[in-house]
Amino acid sequence: MRTLRDASLLLGWLLALTGPVAAVGLSVDDVVPNFIGLGVGSTTQWHGSRDRMVGAMPGARLKLQGSRFLEWYGPYMGLNLLDDEGWEAGPLLNLRLGREEVDDPVVAQLPEIGLGLEAGGFVAWHHVNLTGIPYRLRLGLMASHAVLGQTEGSQLTPYASLWLPLSERLFIGSGVGATWSDKNFMQQFFSVSPAAAEASGLPSYQAGAGFRQIYWWPGVLWRIAPQWMLGAGAYGQYLVGDAADSPIIRERGDRWQWTFGLGLGYLW
């Protein structure tokens, strides 16, 4: 079954950004409060799948000394080690669930991909504008590499996001990004070996390293009470390069991948 990483990241953004977005236009301090929340979402079963799944993911963020913080969204955990007003950087861990017990009868004949753990780091810069039209801009880069389990390869993800307040309670945001994957990851998820081709009926295929997707997401946050925030959003991925050319995608999947989510967070 495909990982809910994408759903959890979307829901995590919706929950974790309640603090920074609430600060825009309301305070001169870009303060991220402590929070705990739960997100529910619908996403695809595996990278490129047409079949869908529904799941729930917890989320939490703990403010540490100064500007440091610890965040946890389902399979993702990150620790910001910088005490800086504009910069964030630190280690990350990500649990990747892979591709198991899929509904598609042809893809089910391909080798299953089990649980795996990725480790890496992130660096980001953010700016809160409090003059004129207030906004919060964030630019960043995440990098990870497989360290345990069945997942393989490395990832690089540059991203950007922008949030605007419509009122003291309602905020809208959007973001874009792309993911580069190395040869090991691409071959694991998108290649078809001669043995797998014979078992599934798909043609043989060898995927190489490169950008595998671009993505875009819109989100809405509504502060329903001083300590409660609702979030809703969509996360659209478009597979490119060798990922899109794979017969797994061309014959059994879809280049467009959509995740939809709702999140509720308690702040303190």
Side-chain angles (χ1 to χ4, degrees):
M1 184 176 290
R2 178 197 161 171
T3 177
L4 278 179
R5 176 181 181 274
D6 297 328
S8 67
L9 285 178
L10 169 67
L11 299 172
W13 291 335
L14 294 174
L15 293 172
L17 285 172
T18 57
V21 175
V24 174
L26 304 180
S27 168
V28 295
D29 298 318
D30 184 22
V31 178
V32 179
N34 299 316
F35 87 89
I36 187 170
L38 181 69
V40 295
S42 170
T43 190
T44 52
Q45 288 186 0
W46 41 272
H47 295 294
S49 174
R50 296 174 184 171
D51 299 316
R52 304 193 64 79
M53 59 187 291
V54 176
M57 282 287 173
R61 185 164 179 144
L62 178 63
K63 180 175 171 59
L64 305 176
Q65 183 180 17
S67 300
R68 301 178 181 92
F69 59 84
L70 174 69
E71 53 189 357
W72 168 50
Y73 315 126
Y76 171 86
M77 181 175 290
L79 174 64
N80 175 39
L81 298 176
L82 295 186
D83 185 10
D84 188 271
E85 294 183 357
W87 287 94
E88 307 164 8
L92 66 84
L93 293 173
N94 182 65
L95 181 67
R96 190 175 292 277
L97 303 184
R99 186 179 64 206
E100 297 180 288
E101 301 177 4
V102 302
D103 292 340
D104 189 291
V106 173
V107 178
Q109 302 305 311
L110 300 175
E112 290 190 340
I113 304 171
L115 285 170
L117 182 67
E118 299 172 342
F122 70 93
V123 60
W125 171 84
H126 68 262
H127 172 67
V128 177
N129 182 61
L130 298 176
T131 61
I133 300 176
Y135 63 84
R136 185 180 194 273
L137 174 67
R138 190 168 189 255
L139 306 173
L141 176 69
M142 293 189 297
S144 63
H145 180 74
V147 292
L148 289 173
Q150 291 189 22
T151 190
E152 299 179 5
S154 301
Q155 320 283 326
L156 285 174
T157 301
Y159 59 90
S161 65
L162 178 67
W163 284 90
L164 301 169
L166 298 183
S167 70
E168 292 188 355
R169 292 179 175 237
L170 187 64
F171 312 91
I172 59 172
S174 184
V176 295
T179 303
W180 179 93
S181 300
D182 72 0
K183 182 178 179 179
N184 290 335
F185 181 92
M186 296 291 286
Q187 287 192 345
Q188 184 181 35
F189 276 93
F190 301 107
S191 289
V192 181
S193 69
E198 183 177 356
S200 65
L202 295 172
S204 297
Y205 181 75
Q206 289 293 314
F211 279 96
R212 64 175 170 87
Q213 69 171 12
I214 55 176
Y215 67 82
W216 167 75
W217 59 266
V220 177
L221 292 170
W222 178 27
R223 197 158 194 164
I224 57 177
Q227 292 182 295
W228 290 96
M229 183 77 80
L230 279 175
Y235 180 63
Q237 303 160 274
Y238 186 68
L239 299 180
V240 297
D242 282 11
D245 291 337
S246 168
I248 302 173
I249 308 304
R250 288 188 287 105
E251 298 187 18
R252 307 303 302 182
D254 192 336
R255 294 181 68 173
W256 280 105
Q257 301 285 283
W258 289 98
T259 295
F260 305 97
L262 294 171
L264 175 66
Y266 175 76
L267 291 69
W268 74 93

